[in-house]
Amino acid sequence: MGSLNGVNMATAVHRIARCHLVSQGSDDLLASSTWDRMLTNIEDMAKRRTSSMPVNCTSIIAWACATIGVFRMSLFSALASRACNGIRDFQPYEVTNIMWAYAEFTQTAKQITEPMKNLCEAVAKRLSARRQGEFKVVSLISALLSLSKLADCDSIQPIWSVDLKTVCSCLSREIVSRKEELPPAKFAEMTRAFTAMHKLGISCSSGF
């Protein structure tokens, strides 16, 4: 395992997460010492400035761990710290994947660390600065759902410097303007996103 670089580690964890989904959670590897060592190695890589881990690997790893349901505080904090300054270079799907992962983290952890707060802020700013059409509609819906969870997290609320209502309204307007791109199977997900925002007192565009 010591010979694996950051890309190798991210690929391995991603494949484990995919297998975990197929097996519906019955994966003996997750209870093994090998899995624990892998996470520890990834965390160490994320903390090192000279690491072989490209910044976008943090999105892959965070998504994989959240998919499996592994929310190790120290690992997610290290990944957030590494990802924060490179979020502008993320592909759109990497932005929404890491956002989803940390939104899921807030559903299980009572507190989050400062690097995690900084990452959530950076992601919100990245979404606010996006170009029209840059993100797929399904990714915008995922972002809206994640924002609804993050906006409802008491540990994060005090740090927002962006206006979440403005960001969410902007997201919803673009979703509505591109509704013909939305697969029918995703309409229910869109409705959940808009409903979640309304519950938080954030008005979203209608038009479906």
Side-chain angles (χ1 to χ4, degrees):
M1 191 180 297
S3 63
L4 298 179
N5 61 28
V7 175
N8 299 148
M9 286 287 196
T11 301
V13 174
H14 184 269
R15 288 178 179 173
I16 290 170
R18 288 293 187 186
C19 291
H20 183 77
L21 287 174
V22 172
S23 65
Q24 297 182 340
S26 57
D27 193 339
D28 293 338
L29 174 62
L30 302 183
S32 70
S33 60
T34 300
W35 172 249
D36 187 68
R37 288 199 307 274
M38 181 179 289
L39 295 184
T40 299
N41 287 348
I42 290 172
E43 183 179 331
D44 290 342
M45 278 187 182
K47 290 177 179 178
R48 292 198 303 268
R49 291 185 179 181
T50 57
S51 170
S52 62
M53 180 186 291
V55 69
N56 66 313
C57 285
T58 59
S59 175
I60 298 170
I61 295 166
W63 175 89
C65 288
T67 297
I68 296 169
V70 173
F71 298 104
R72 183 185 289 190
M73 177 74 76
S74 58
L75 172 61
F76 269 72
S77 186
L79 292 173
S81 183
R82 188 167 187 83
C84 195
N85 292 328
I87 201 73
R88 289 172 294 183
D89 299 323
F90 276 34
Q91 295 296 319
Y93 72 91
E94 293 169 340
V95 174
T96 53
N97 278 356
I98 201 167
M99 188 179 201
W100 174 80
Y102 281 86
E104 291 301 302
F105 186 95
T106 64
Q107 304 304 294
T108 64
K110 294 181 179 180
Q111 294 291 327
I112 64 173
T113 65
E114 198 65 26
M116 295 183 202
K117 294 178 183 179
N118 293 338
L119 176 62
C120 292
E121 176 82 350
V123 169
K125 288 181 178 179
R126 172 69 176 83
L127 283 170
S128 182
R130 78 190 186 285
R131 300 185 306 276
Q132 176 76 16
E134 180 182 3
F135 286 65
K136 292 182 178 180
V137 176
V138 290
S139 293
L140 295 176
I141 291 173
S142 173
L144 205 58
L145 279 168
S146 295
L147 274 176
S148 70
K149 293 179 180 180
L150 293 173
D152 199 32
C153 177
D154 292 337
S155 296
I156 300 179
Q157 283 181 359
I159 61 92
W160 296 115
S161 65
V162 293
D163 185 344
L164 281 188
K165 290 186 177 181
T166 300
V167 175
C168 294
S169 295
C170 183
L171 286 172
S172 67
R173 285 196 300 272
E174 183 171 351
I175 291 170
V176 170
S177 71
R178 297 168 59 195
K179 61 184 179 182
E180 68 281 353
E181 301 174 35
L182 189 63
K186 291 292 182 178
F187 271 67
E189 192 172 329
M190 178 277 303
T191 301
R192 287 200 304 275
F194 281 19
T195 299
M197 285 298 166
H198 280 300
K199 287 182 179 178
L200 293 173
I202 301 175
S203 297
C204 291
S205 298
S206 58
F208 282 86

